């Protein structure tokens, strides 16, 4: 989540605290989870346009949410896009029964971990969170492939560059111990010659990618999606 998103959530928490203190809001009417509205919107979409089994599910945070051209970028691949901005890996795990398992995809592609580190999770915790996601999904879908896109090196979070690198390495090591769990490295090609994030790949906020950034993802993802197409 970017700085504006963090401020918005902080204001939301303060507003709730004030509302409870003044008695202007009934606690029973306050949503228990900030993602419920987005998850319900996905479910409404699923009711209106049922998802066919065997597609490729992209799930994660704002890099997936804002990738509006995703289906057009892979026209021969049936895409299910379920990104909700600001989310962490643990959120995808919590909502797996609602926006993962029902689709019965042949492949899951996850981008998350970025917000996790920004919120204070350690590289080891992010690795463990991803392992928990894999375990949860595999209990219901033991044959599904799971690909994890490495955390992108954004200028807005350059202070976390070392943590991103460590997280990517830990998840890569974990993936090698699993069956049909792969890591797609977009971290390295998004660095410049000095090892710093390439600002030309991002919008004005230095966090969310522009089209040039997504082009790198398309190039790196294409072999994985097409390799899995016949499974």
């Amino acid at each position: 989540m970017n700085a504006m998103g963090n401020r918005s959530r902080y204001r939301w928490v303060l507003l709730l605290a004030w509302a409870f203190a003044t008695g202007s809001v009934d606690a029973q009417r306050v949503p228990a989870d900030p993602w419920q509205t987005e998850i319900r919107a996905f479910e409404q979409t699923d009711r209106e346009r049922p998802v066919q089994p065997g597609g490729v599910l992209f799930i994660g945070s704002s890099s997936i949410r804002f990738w509006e051209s995703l289906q057009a970028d892979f026209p021969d691949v049936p895409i299910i896009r379920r990104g909700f901005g600001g989310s962490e890996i643990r959120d995808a795990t919590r909502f797996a029964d609602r926006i993962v398992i029902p689709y019965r995809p042949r492949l899951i592609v996850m981008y998350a971990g970025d917000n996790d580190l920004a919120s204070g999770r350690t590289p080891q915790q992010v690795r463990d969170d991803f392992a928990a996601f894999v375990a949860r999904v595999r209990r219901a879908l033991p044959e599904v492939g799971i690909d994890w896109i490495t955390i992108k090196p954004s200028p807005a979070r350059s202070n976390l560059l070392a943590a991103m690198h460590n997280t990517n390495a830990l998840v890569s090591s974990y993936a090698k111990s699993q069956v049909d769990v792969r890591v797609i490295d977009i971290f390295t090609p998004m660095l410049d010659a000095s090892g710093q994030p390439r600002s030309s790949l991002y919008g004005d906020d230095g966090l969310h990618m522009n089209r040039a950034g997504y082009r790198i993802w398309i190039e790196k993802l294409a072999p994985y999606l097409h390799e899995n197409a016949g499974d």
Side-chain angles (χ1 to χ4, degrees), residues 46-92:
D46 295 338
R47 285 189 290 271
E48 296 171 354
R49 297 188 297 277
V51 173
Q52 296 299 311
V56 176
L57 171 64
F58 278 74
I59 190 168
S61 55
S62 56
S63 293
I64 303 300
R65 179 188 177 192
F66 293 144
W67 197 349
E68 296 180 354
S69 64
L70 181 54
Q71 181 62 81
D73 291 333
F74 300 104
D76 56 341
V77 178
I79 299 291
I80 311 156
R81 182 167 61 96
R82 295 294 180 266
F84 43 120
S87 64
E88 301 180 10
I89 295 172
R90 294 173 294 172
D91 297 310

Side-chain angles (χ1 to χ4, degrees), residues 159-194:
N159 62 306
L160 295 172
L161 207 59
M164 293 173 181
H165 177 76
N166 291 339
T167 303
N168 292 335
L170 286 171
V171 175
S172 294
S173 179
Y174 160 76
K176 290 175 183 176
S177 72
Q178 303 298 304
V179 176
D180 292 331
V181 178
R182 304 177 297 187
V183 170
I184 302 172
D185 179 24
I186 55 82
F187 180 85
T188 304
M190 295 185 78
L191 296 173
D192 63 21
S194 65

Side-chain angles (χ1 to χ4, degrees), residues 5 9 14 17 23 25 71 81 103 109 118 136 148 155 175 205:
R9 181 164 293 185
L14 289 180
V25 167
Q71 181 62 81
R81 182 167 61 96
Y103 304 138
V109 180
R136 172 63 195 92
W148 191 71
D205 64 0

Side-chain angles (χ1 to χ4, degrees), residues 211-225:
R211 187 60 181 168
Y214 279 114
R215 286 195 190 100
I216 291 177
W217 287 35
I218 294 165
E219 178 183 351
K220 294 299 180 180
L221 279 163
Y224 291 86
L225 300 190

